[in-house]
Amino acid sequence: MFKNKVKGEIKMLITNEMLLFFLITILFINQIIIILEKERLGNRITAILKIIHKKPLTKKETEYIRKSR
Protein backbone atom coordinates (compact mmCIF):
# COMPACT_ATOMS: atom_id res chain seq x y z
CA MET A 1 0.00 0.00 0.00
CA PHE A 2 2.77 2.42 0.93
CA LYS A 3 4.68 1.63 -2.30
CA ASN A 4 1.65 2.43 -4.43
CA LYS A 5 1.14 5.74 -2.61
CA VAL A 6 4.80 6.74 -3.15
CA LYS A 7 4.64 5.73 -6.83
CA GLY A 8 1.49 7.80 -7.26
CA GLU A 9 3.14 10.84 -5.66
CA ILE A 10 6.25 10.46 -7.84
CA LYS A 11 4.11 10.27 -10.99
CA MET A 12 2.20 13.35 -9.86
CA LEU A 13 5.46 15.26 -9.25
CA ILE A 14 6.80 14.29 -12.68
CA THR A 15 3.53 15.32 -14.33
CA ASN A 16 3.55 18.66 -12.49
CA GLU A 17 7.17 19.32 -13.46
CA MET A 18 6.44 18.54 -17.12
CA LEU A 19 3.42 20.84 -17.07
CA LEU A 20 5.46 23.61 -15.44
CA PHE A 21 8.24 23.20 -18.02
CA PHE A 22 5.68 23.33 -20.85
CA LEU A 23 4.07 26.50 -19.49
CA ILE A 24 7.43 28.22 -18.98
CA THR A 25 8.38 27.35 -22.56
CA ILE A 26 5.12 28.86 -23.85
CA LEU A 27 5.69 32.04 -21.82
CA PHE A 28 9.23 32.34 -23.16
CA ILE A 29 8.04 31.99 -26.77
CA ASN A 30 5.31 34.58 -26.14
CA GLN A 31 7.88 37.05 -24.79
CA ILE A 32 9.97 36.65 -27.94
CA ILE A 33 6.91 37.24 -30.13
CA ILE A 34 5.93 40.33 -28.12
CA ILE A 35 9.44 41.79 -28.48
CA LEU A 36 9.43 41.19 -32.25
CA GLU A 37 5.97 42.75 -32.65
CA LYS A 38 6.99 45.77 -30.59
CA GLU A 39 10.04 46.31 -32.79
CA ARG A 40 7.96 45.96 -35.95
CA LEU A 41 5.34 48.45 -34.72
CA GLY A 42 8.07 50.86 -33.63
CA ASN A 43 9.57 50.79 -37.12
CA ARG A 44 6.16 51.37 -38.67
CA ILE A 45 5.35 54.32 -36.38
CA THR A 46 8.74 55.93 -37.04
CA ALA A 47 8.28 55.63 -40.80
CA ILE A 48 4.72 56.99 -40.68
CA LEU A 49 5.77 60.00 -38.59
CA LYS A 50 8.58 60.77 -41.00
CA ILE A 51 6.17 60.61 -43.93
CA ILE A 52 3.70 62.91 -42.14
CA HIS A 53 6.40 65.45 -41.33
CA LYS A 54 7.86 65.12 -44.86
CA LYS A 55 11.27 64.02 -43.67
CA PRO A 56 13.40 61.72 -45.84
CA LEU A 57 13.28 58.02 -45.09
CA THR A 58 16.36 55.86 -44.76
CA LYS A 59 16.84 52.93 -47.15
CA LYS A 60 15.84 50.49 -44.43
CA GLU A 61 12.62 52.39 -43.70
CA THR A 62 11.81 52.65 -47.40
CA GLU A 63 12.20 48.89 -47.78
CA TYR A 64 10.11 48.34 -44.68
CA ILE A 65 7.28 50.51 -46.06
CA ARG A 66 7.38 48.64 -49.37
CA LYS A 67 7.16 45.29 -47.60
CA SER A 68 4.31 46.37 -45.33
CA ARG A 69 2.11 47.62 -48.17
Side-chain angles (χ1 to χ4, degrees), residues 15-53:
T15 305
N16 286 344
E17 287 176 1
M18 288 178 22
L19 179 63
L20 184 62
F21 177 74
F22 178 72
L23 292 175
I24 288 172
T25 305
I26 289 176
L27 287 174
F28 183 70
I29 291 170
N30 282 342
Q31 286 296 321
I32 292 172
I33 291 172
I34 288 170
I35 290 169
L36 293 174
E37 285 293 318
K38 182 181 174 186
E39 183 178 323
R40 188 176 66 92
L41 288 174
N43 290 342
R44 178 182 264 175
I45 290 171
T46 303
I48 290 171
L49 288 174
K50 281 188 173 183
I51 291 171
I52 290 172
H53 293 294

